[in-house]
Amino acid sequence: MDDLSRYSVIERSRAGCAVEIRALRPDDRDRLLTAVDHTSAHSLYLRFFGPRRHFTDKEITFFLNVDFTSHVALVAVTEQDGEPVIAGGARYLVTQPGQAEVAFTVIDPFQGQGIGGLLTRHLISIARGKGLTELIAHVLADNGPMLKLFERCGLPLHKKRDAEAIHVTLQLT
């Protein structure tokens, strides 16, 4: 795991399809924008806590330019009609020493295939390898699939609810 920008592992979805879990690269721009186009307004709302359809150039640059130290991003790539497509993504941003905030998105046509779990497992492994001790996430209360994903990941979990979201803390050690 010395050069995370080259991270790549082949996995299988629940449907048996090959899924490459790999580092997000700057040349993924078009695939990333296509993935956003194939994500429902509801899924984008759950991920970004508000209506969202498009991103500014500055936001796209932020999403694509990760340093794999304090900002790590993975994508799940599979084939659709013989072409590689991004089926989901996961990232973490270090917020303080030992702690990072995580976020996940699985594109609607690929939901329910275990891709979120694959991304979670790899992101946790990377975070541990980097010496992180906890991952935090802010999840809307009606985002049941994301909450279940965290509950099933096998890590000690603490949840705290406020008016806007459920704050989840996963203990890595």
Side-chain angles (χ1 to χ4, degrees):
M1 271 203 277
D2 290 338
D3 184 3
L4 288 175
S5 68
R6 297 180 184 270
Y7 189 87
S8 176
V9 178
I10 302 297
E11 296 275 6
R12 292 269 170 208
S13 72
R14 282 191 195 127
C17 298
V19 178
E20 181 184 17
I21 305 298
R22 66 163 173 81
L24 179 68
R25 303 182 303 238
D27 68 349
D28 282 324
R29 180 184 175 94
D30 289 342
R31 278 188 285 278
L32 182 66
L33 294 175
T34 298
V36 170
D37 287 344
H38 289 95
T39 305
S40 70
H42 180 69
S43 290
L44 288 170
Y45 178 86
L46 292 175
R47 167 62 179 86
F48 294 101
F49 285 43
R52 204 67 198 252
R53 183 74 329 225
H54 301 286
F55 297 94
T56 66
D57 285 337
K58 184 177 178 181
E59 289 169 323
I60 293 166
T61 298
F62 168 78
F63 288 135
L64 288 171
N65 294 316
V66 295
D67 63 13
F68 292 99
T69 301
S70 63
H71 185 183
V72 172
L74 300 176
V75 288
V77 178
T78 191
E79 283 196 10
Q80 191 172 47
D81 300 324
E83 295 293 323
V85 295
I86 292 176
R91 70 181 60 236
Y92 73 68
L93 288 161
V94 174
T95 55
Q96 63 186 34
Q99 182 185 73
E101 184 174 344
V102 296
F104 298 83
T105 302
V106 177
I107 309 313
D108 292 69
F110 300 100
Q111 291 176 5
Q113 296 182 27
I115 291 171
L118 295 172
L119 287 163
T120 302
R121 191 176 69 220
H122 287 276
L123 204 63
I124 287 169
S125 176
I126 290 168
R128 281 182 168 150
K130 289 291 191 175
L132 296 177
T133 57
E134 63 183 24
L135 298 175
I136 60 170
H138 309 290
V139 183
L140 289 173
D142 62 343
N143 192 347
M146 190 81 259
L147 293 168
K148 282 184 182 178
L149 179 75
F150 288 135
E151 291 168 0
R152 292 180 182 160
C153 76
L155 296 174
L157 169 76
H158 179 285
K159 294 189 281 188
K160 180 180 170 189
R161 180 185 281 255
D162 70 15
E164 184 176 280
I166 297 173
H167 303 277
V168 177
T169 302
L170 300 169
Q171 297 298 318
L172 298 176
T173 56

